[in-house]
Amino acid sequence: MDKIQHALQSLLDRHRIVFWYDAKKELRHEYEALTLPDVHKIELDNNEFGVKHRILREEPNQKFLLYHEGPQPDVLDNWLLDVLLAHGEFKADQVSIWLSELGLGPEFWDVVQDHLAFFKAQSRRTELKKKLNPEVETTETVRMKMLAVCASPSTEPRLDTILEKLLDELAQGSDDSFRTITRSGLDDFLWGKLEHDFGYKSDKPSRRDFAIELFKSCYALALGEEALLSNQALVFLNRWKDSRKHYQAFEELSGQYADILSIEQDLQSRDFRALARLDLFELIEQKILNELVNQLVKRTISATECQKFIWRRSSTYWFETYQHVYNAIDYASQFFAVLKETSFNIRSLSDGIEKYTQTWYQLDQLYRKYIYHLRASRQITLLQDLSEQVENRYTNNYLLKLNDTWQHLIDTSQQWQIEPITAQKDFFSHYVAGFRRKNIKVAVLISDGLRFEIGAELQKHIEREGRYTAELESMAASLPSFTQLGMAALLP
């Protein structure tokens, strides 16, 4: 009784006049028991002409439920046929009741009949009704919204969002949503959509088979090779993997299918440069990093090319995971490039300080950054050969040469005075005294062992704030250059 009342009320919300032909003559009791606010009930029993005059002329704004115990009259004998065609008809079978409940017309009868298991659940009908717009629905859009309900109430009725839910559950080892889709008889509709939109075909379609083909085809498409699926599949996979909501499912399935698709073996024959934009499998990242390290060790890649390649990788999926490795490789390549262009010729003490503060300090800076990212990456084995070359060149081609040349100048100097470099002992008179004479407060921060290259980086950080200006100057330290003497020299 409640279903009939609800269905009738739904129809009357959309139509001023609703016809009810009780073909089997078994629902009179339900008709008589109905209570419909603001609706007049009239039984049709050889009174059609008078009823027609009343509902169309006498009470043109009143709502009516017109009940007839028996089947609908033949077309030529039906005095109310024009009114029936212009308004609504209530049918008391289950499918019709559900259609009425959802606000859908008789053209959707086959949709309900083909998917009875879906509509038997009140919860699914309730969620479907929330998504429906009866005025614009087609049989396809209704089925798509039914798929979305099977996936989850919050799923948008789009193929990509439905697929995301199914792939998430596949990665978790769950099949709740897909079982609901299958029980509801919507699996054929799903495979049809996947064939139409992505080109997926299989004699025995399944979630897992589709997912494997998705990774396989997208790998080929990204390499510019032929694939079963269309480019639309690659668009979907890229969007799915880049979503923070679904990244765990992507990583799980990517790891599983890399083995199934023998990606490691395939990568062995590929030039790493052809993989610059690929990020479907973590093995691709590992292949690229190994190749970059080998290229640097063999000196077959320039610093410029290395930096450009790393920049192209910076927007890929696994870059953040291996960011410290990339940074270590980048700084190593820059270190080799700067060292190659550097000649340690020093004409005087002041010339040596000038060259160091203009250029040579970068070698210390690049070395420090390489060591930092090497340790942060925890990829000591991967970077072992590169680290040996960096250490060897830093020690023998830089420190040793610079120190030998510098020591020779020290040995030939009569006094520790480097014009025009300011001496450390003159710090107060050179930098601070002028402010104090004007009664301006000055804060002096003293940091023991702050290397010049770190000062240069600190200057850049300050300037990047956009609120301050900063200048960097060098001074000649007091000798011997130990902490107590150096700090004391900076004081008034």
Side-chain angles (χ1 to χ4, degrees):
M1 181 64 193
D2 289 341
K3 290 184 178 180
I4 292 176
Q5 173 126 358
H6 184 274
L8 278 169
Q9 188 62 61
S10 178
L11 269 174
L12 287 160
D13 287 341
R14 292 181 287 121
H15 301 286
R16 185 174 72 88
I17 302 169
V18 172
F19 288 79
W20 179 3
Y21 292 104
D22 184 6
K24 296 182 180 181
K25 302 181 179 181
E26 58 187 11
L27 296 174
R28 172 174 286 280
H29 174 74
E30 284 76 3
Y31 165 73
E32 293 176 347
L34 278 174
T35 302
L36 297 168
D38 303 321
V39 177
H40 290 175
K41 299 192 311 182
I42 300 176
E43 182 174 355
L44 300 177
D45 186 15
N46 295 319
N47 57 348
E48 286 83 353
F49 186 77
V51 169
K52 189 171 189 177
H53 185 268
R54 175 183 175 185
I55 62 179
L56 296 182
R57 296 293 186 181
E58 295 178 0
E59 300 178 69
N61 298 318
Q62 175 63 45
K63 289 191 174 187
F64 292 95
L65 172 61
L66 307 182
Y67 172 82
H68 174 67
E69 188 176 40
Q72 181 179 326
D74 292 336
V75 172
L76 295 178
D77 297 328
N78 192 347
W79 286 66
L80 296 172
L81 180 62
D82 58 336
V83 182
L84 172 63
L85 295 175
H87 293 82
E89 180 182 2
F90 172 69
K91 295 181 180 180
D93 61 276
Q94 187 62 73
V95 172
S96 299
I97 290 174
W98 285 337
L99 285 173
S100 180
E101 176 185 335
L102 295 169
L104 297 174
E107 65 272 22
F108 295 96
W109 196 92
D110 286 344
V111 174
V112 179
Q113 184 64 37
D114 292 344
H115 308 289
L116 290 175
F118 176 92
F119 291 95
K120 285 179 180 179
Q122 175 67 53
S123 58
R124 288 196 288 270
R125 296 200 307 275
T126 300
E127 293 300 329
L128 177 61
K129 187 173 183 179
K130 293 177 183 177
K131 298 179 183 295
L132 290 176
N133 181 359
E135 295 181 0
V136 299
E137 299 296 351
T138 65
T139 56
E140 180 170 330
T141 62
V142 171
R143 284 191 171 97
M144 184 61 71
K145 291 177 180 180
M146 290 164 63
L147 274 179
V149 171
C150 290
S152 72
S154 61
T155 300
E156 292 292 321
R158 304 195 315 267
L159 184 59
D160 57 345
T161 55
I162 293 167
L163 273 182
E164 287 170 355
K165 177 64 176 178
L166 295 178
L167 291 174
D168 285 355
E169 290 191 354
L170 178 63
Q172 296 163 10
S174 168
D175 65 349
D176 292 346
S177 296
F178 192 72
R179 278 192 292 111
T180 303
I181 289 172
T182 303
R183 286 200 306 268
S184 300
L186 288 163
D187 47 333
D188 286 342
F189 176 73
L190 174 62
W191 303 133
K193 287 296 294 180
L194 288 175
E195 180 177 352
H196 178 270
D197 289 15
F198 292 166
Y200 173 68
K201 296 179 182 179
S202 175
D203 293 335
K204 295 181 178 180
S206 68
R207 281 186 309 163
R208 186 170 184 269
D209 181 70
F210 169 76
I212 292 174
E213 186 58 52
L214 179 67
F215 277 87
K216 178 182 178 181
S217 289
C218 289
Y219 180 65
L221 289 169
L223 288 166
E225 299 173 357
E226 291 187 1
L228 174 65
L229 303 188
S230 66
N231 281 312
Q232 190 62 30
L234 182 58
V235 172
F236 163 75
L237 183 53
N238 284 333
R239 193 181 74 83
W240 174 57
K241 72 176 173 58
D242 292 335
S243 168
R244 297 309 301 170
K245 182 179 179 181
H246 304 290
Y247 76 95
Q248 290 179 323
F250 165 73
E251 291 183 9
E252 176 64 29
L253 296 181
S254 173
Q256 291 180 25
Y257 301 156
D259 291 335
I260 293 173
L261 298 172
S262 302
I263 297 300
E264 186 172 9
Q265 291 88 328
D266 180 80
L267 289 172
Q268 291 176 4
S269 61
R270 295 189 183 275
D271 186 332
F272 79 98
R273 293 174 178 83
L275 308 173
R277 294 294 188 186
L278 268 69
D279 60 355
L280 297 183
F281 304 100
E282 191 171 6
L283 289 171
I284 296 173
E285 212 72 45
Q286 296 167 358
K287 158 83 172 181
I288 288 173
L289 291 169
N290 274 290
E291 289 293 333
L292 283 175
V293 170
N294 291 334
Q295 293 279 328
L296 269 182
V297 170
K298 295 175 182 177
R299 299 293 184 275
T300 52
I301 187 172
S302 67
T304 301
E305 184 182 0
C306 186
Q307 284 182 300
K308 286 182 178 179
F309 192 89
I310 292 173
W311 178 80
R312 292 179 71 188
R313 294 300 297 170
S314 63
S315 59
T316 56
Y317 184 86
W318 305 97
F319 183 82
E320 186 175 348
T321 302
Y322 293 94
Q323 186 169 5
H324 285 297
V325 186
Y326 276 112
N327 285 336
I329 292 171
D330 185 17
Y331 288 122
S333 70
Q334 292 183 58
F335 174 81
F336 292 147
V338 174
L339 183 60
K340 183 180 180 181
E341 300 298 323
T342 301
S343 175
F344 298 104
N345 296 318
I346 307 176
R347 297 188 302 271
S348 64
L349 294 176
S350 60
D351 180 55
I353 291 179
E354 181 180 357
K355 287 178 177 177
Y356 181 85
T357 56
Q358 293 297 317
T359 305
W360 297 345
Y361 78 88
Q362 296 176 26
L363 292 167
D364 286 320
Q365 191 174 78
L366 293 169
Y367 172 78
R368 171 177 59 82
K369 292 188 174 186
Y370 173 81
I371 295 299
Y372 169 78
H373 289 290
L374 167 68
R375 292 172 178 171
S377 72
R378 299 182 180 179
Q379 297 285 341
I380 306 301
T381 302
L382 171 63
L383 296 169
Q384 182 175 355
D385 291 343
L386 184 60
S387 295
E388 289 178 1
Q389 287 212 11
V390 171
E391 290 287 357
N392 178 59
R393 290 177 178 273
Y394 182 72
T395 301
N396 298 319
N397 294 42
Y398 171 54
L399 290 183
L400 186 60
K401 287 185 178 181
L402 179 59
N403 286 344
D404 286 348
T405 305
W406 185 252
Q407 187 63 49
H408 175 73
L409 287 171
I410 295 294
D411 292 342
T412 58
S413 298
Q414 300 299 316
Q415 58 180 350
W416 185 242
Q417 186 172 352
I418 311 173
E419 298 292 346
I421 307 300
T422 305
Q424 186 181 28
K425 65 182 178 61
D426 297 325
F427 171 80
F428 183 82
S429 60
H430 187 82
Y431 291 104
V432 181
F435 289 102
R436 296 305 301 132
R437 283 194 292 270
K438 298 176 183 178
N439 202 29
I440 298 175
K441 292 183 179 180
V442 178
V444 177
L445 307 181
I446 301 174
S447 176
D448 185 28
L450 183 70
R451 302 197 312 183
F452 183 86
E453 58 93 358
I454 297 178
E457 186 165 355
L458 178 60
Q459 178 192 14
K460 290 180 181 178
H461 277 285
I462 292 172
E463 290 176 339
R464 272 201 295 267
E465 291 289 323
R467 296 180 293 169
Y468 312 103
T469 58
E471 295 179 2
L472 180 64
E473 295 181 16
S474 60
M475 302 187 76
S478 301
L479 295 183
S481 59
F482 56 84
T483 299
Q484 292 85 343
L485 181 61
M487 293 181 69
L490 298 174
L491 301 176

